[in-house]
Amino acid sequence: MRLNDSGTADTIAAIATAVAPGEGSVAIVRISGAAAEPIGRLLFAAPGRQAWDSHRVLYGHVVDPASGERVDEALLLLMRAPRSFTRETVVELHCHGGLVAVQRVLELVLAAGARRALPGEFSQRAFFNGRLDLTRAEAIGEMITARSRRAAQLAMAGIDGGLQRRLGALRSRLLDQLAELEARVDFEEDLPPLDGTAVVAELEAVRAALEQLVAEARQGELLRQGLRVAIVGRPNVGKSSLLNLLSRRERAIVTDLPGTTRDLLESELVLDGVPLTLLDTAGIRDTGDRVEQLGIERSRAALAAADAVLLLFDLSAGWSPEDQALRELVPEGAVLLVAGNKADVAGLAVGLVPAGAGEPADVRFCALTGAGRDALVAELLRRCGAGPAEGLEVALNARQRDLAAAAALSLGASLEAAAQQLPWDFWTIDLRAAVRALGEITGEEVSEAVLDRVFARFCIGK
C-alpha cells in the first residue's frame, strides 16, 4: 500500500464502471481513504435535511466548489470504515453514464485531494486491510473477466473462499507435521518417539491433493481463457459452413465456389462452457489472386498461433495429397483433430471413427445438416484437455498452479529424505519450502513486488 508523506495511505479515486461515449445509464466514481468523506461533503450538495449516515444513499448534485456550477445530478453512498470493501471510508458518486459527466466528476474529486487509483488498488487495499485473502482477491479479477458462465461459477467459488479453505487446510496439515519434526530436532530426548510412517503418510496425502489441484488447473485455465481453434482445409470443404454451424449464425459466406473466404474470419462462442475463438481461414492453395494470397498468408500465421487445429476434408472426394500437405503444416505439439465433412454425400455414418479403422478422419459429420456436430465438439474439447466441468469446484490460476506444483515437488524431496532415513532436520528443509509456497498462494507469505504484479492485472477502479 502506498503511503503519503505523513505515513498514512493516500485517498484514491477512480471510475468504477465501464463507460463509453453516449452509452450506459449510470457511472460510479469510487473514493477510498481518510479524505473520502470530506471530499464528498465538499463536492456534493444534498438538499433538505438528509443525514450523512453510513450506508445510506443521499440524493443531490455534484457541484464545482470553485464556480458553484452544478455538474451532474447524482446519488452519494457513504460507507464509513471498517464496513466497506477496502475497510477504509468509501464514498461512491453515482452519476449519469457516458464519458463527459463522469470524467468531469472524477476531475473534481482529484482536484479536491484524491489521487487517481492504480489498476486493482482498491482490491489491494482490501487485501492489506484483511478484508480479503489473495485467492479471493484474484477470484474477483477472474469474475470480472469471465467469458463463460462456468468460468464465473469458478470465480464465485473462489470469492466465497472455497480455494482458500482447501489450501489453508493443506497448509495447516503441513504445519502440524513441521511442528512435530522440529520439536524432535530440539527436544527429542524429552518427547515420545515420533511415528515416521504416519508423517510420511500425511505428506504423501497432501502431495496427492496438491497434484490433483495442479491437474485440474488446466481445465480451469481453459474455462477462463478459452482456446483459439484454427479451422483449415482445402477450398470448398465446408470450413465456413462449420463455422456457421458452431456459432449458430451466418458469419461466413458459403458458396460452391473455391476461394470464397479470402480473409481470416473470427467468431467467439462458448461450447460446453469453454470459450472458443474459431478462426475460419482462407483455403490454402496455389493461386495467382493477390487478395487471396494475402488471406492464405494470414491462414498460415493463424495455424502457427492456434491452440488447436481442426483440419477438414471432403469425405465425398476422399483424402488427397493436398490434404496430407496441410496436415504436415500443423505445428508439432499442436492439438489436431481431422474431421471428415459431407458424410451424407459419401453415404457414411457420422460420429467418432474407431481407433485403428485405417482412415484419416478422427470424426465424421455433416456441416449442412448438423449431424455429428456434438461428437465433433466433444472430441475437440477432450483433446484440448477440457473434460466434464460438472465436478470441478475450484481451480487454480497460473500463478497458483506454479506454486502448488512447487510445493508438491518440495514434498517429494522431503519424502525422499524420509526414504533414505535421514535425520529429522533433513525432512524439515523441503517441508518448510512447501509451507512457504502454499502461504504465497493465499498471501500469508508474499512480497509486495509479487502483490504489485498480481493487482496490476486488474482493471482500474477495482
Side-chain angles (χ1 to χ4, degrees):
M1 186 184 300
R2 290 155 183 80
L3 304 179
N4 55 32
D5 293 339
S6 65
T8 59
D10 293 336
T11 295
I12 57 174
I15 298 173
T17 47
V19 291
E23 298 180 5
S25 60
V26 177
I28 298 174
V29 174
R30 178 178 291 156
I31 314 165
S32 180
E37 185 173 347
I39 290 173
R41 288 180 179 271
L42 175 66
L43 302 180
F44 193 78
R49 297 178 131 186
Q50 301 180 68
W52 283 70
D53 294 332
S54 185
H55 294 78
R56 177 169 178 166
V57 176
L58 303 179
Y59 163 77
H61 293 84
V62 177
V63 178
D64 184 341
S67 64
E69 176 194 356
R70 289 184 174 184
V71 174
D72 194 12
E73 183 181 35
L75 299 176
L76 181 144
L77 175 59
L78 170 63
M79 294 168 279
R80 292 195 179 105
R83 296 174 56 208
S84 73
F85 176 68
T86 61
R87 284 194 173 166
E88 301 173 333
T89 294
V90 170
V91 167
E92 290 185 350
L93 293 168
H94 294 231
C95 313
H96 285 97
L99 282 177
V100 177
V102 70
Q103 288 287 0
R104 183 96 184 273
V105 171
L106 178 60
E107 289 168 5
L108 291 175
V109 169
L110 298 177
R115 171 175 62 77
R116 193 182 298 270
L118 299 173
E121 193 168 2
F122 291 94
S123 297
Q124 189 173 28
R125 290 191 175 199
F127 168 77
F128 278 125
N129 293 329
R131 170 69 171 74
L132 301 170
D133 73 278
L134 196 52
T135 63
R136 284 184 171 94
E138 288 180 292
I140 290 172
E142 290 158 8
M143 174 65 83
I144 294 171
T145 58
R147 296 174 56 193
S148 70
R149 180 180 299 181
R150 194 69 188 92
Q153 290 172 339
L154 282 179
M156 192 64 231
I159 293 172
D160 285 341
L163 185 56
Q164 190 277 336
R165 285 190 293 274
R166 184 176 296 188
L167 291 170
L170 294 175
R171 186 170 184 266
S172 178
R173 290 166 66 180
L174 294 183
L175 284 170
D176 288 343
Q177 300 308 313
L178 182 61
E180 291 289 342
L181 289 167
E182 289 186 332
R184 270 33 181 220
V185 171
D186 297 327
F187 310 106
E188 187 164 19
E189 301 83 2
D190 304 323
L191 295 171
L194 180 62
D195 185 351
T197 302
V199 174
V200 166
E202 183 70 345
L203 298 186
E204 286 178 339
V206 173
R207 182 176 67 167
L210 289 173
E211 289 174 343
Q212 178 67 25
L213 284 171
V214 171
E216 292 174 346
R218 168 59 178 165
Q219 190 173 353
E221 185 177 346
L222 291 177
L223 293 172
R224 293 187 188 102
Q225 299 181 5
L227 293 166
R228 290 178 63 84
V229 179
I231 305 175
V232 300
R234 292 184 296 116
N236 209 36
V237 296
K239 299 185 298 298
S240 297
S241 296
L242 175 60
L243 176 67
N244 292 336
L245 173 67
L246 295 178
S247 62
R248 301 193 186 280
R249 65 180 186 270
E250 295 217 356
R251 176 69 185 271
I253 300 172
V254 179
T255 73
D256 292 330
L257 300 175
T260 302
T261 301
R262 296 191 171 201
D263 203 351
L264 189 67
L265 298 177
E266 292 192 12
S267 184
E268 293 193 358
L269 62 154
V270 177
L271 296 178
D272 292 353
V274 179
L276 297 183
T277 300
L278 295 180
L279 311 175
D280 179 19
T281 64
I284 299 177
R285 62 171 183 164
D286 293 328
T287 178
D289 187 320
R290 180 54 186 159
V291 176
E292 191 176 350
Q293 285 177 354
L294 291 173
I296 291 171
E297 290 172 9
R298 293 185 182 182
S299 297
R300 291 179 182 271
L303 190 66
D307 299 305
V309 177
L310 189 53
L311 173 57
L312 262 62
F313 75 99
D314 186 343
L315 286 167
S316 64
W319 185 259
S320 69
E322 291 85 356
D323 295 318
Q324 183 60 36
L326 281 175
R327 183 168 189 160
E328 292 170 1
L329 287 176
V330 177
E332 185 177 354
V335 174
L336 171 65
L337 180 66
V338 180
N341 187 23
K342 306 182 184 180
D344 55 336
V345 178
L348 297 171
V350 299
L352 286 176
V353 176
E359 62 175 284
D362 299 311
V363 62
R364 297 189 293 253
F365 76 105
C366 176
L368 184 62
T369 66
R373 172 191 179 278
D374 293 345
L376 185 151
V377 170
E379 182 63 12
L380 175 65
L381 296 181
R382 187 192 70 79
R383 294 192 177 202
C384 292
E390 289 75 15
L392 192 63
E393 296 179 356
V394 295
L396 305 175
N397 61 30
R399 183 192 74 89
Q400 297 162 353
R401 178 201 62 214
D402 292 344
L403 288 167
L409 284 175
S410 295
L411 290 179
S414 188
L415 288 167
E416 180 61 27
Q420 295 179 20
Q421 298 183 334
L422 296 177
W424 300 128
D425 52 345
F426 283 86
W427 297 34
T428 65
I429 296 171
D430 294 293
L431 183 50
R432 285 194 203 97
V435 169
R436 281 195 302 270
L438 294 185
E440 191 169 339
I441 294 178
T442 59
E444 292 166 277
E445 298 187 39
V446 64
S447 69
E448 188 167 346
V450 170
L451 292 175
D452 286 342
R453 286 199 299 271
V454 168
F455 289 105
R457 293 195 292 267
F458 283 50
C459 59
I460 293 176
K462 193 61 182 178

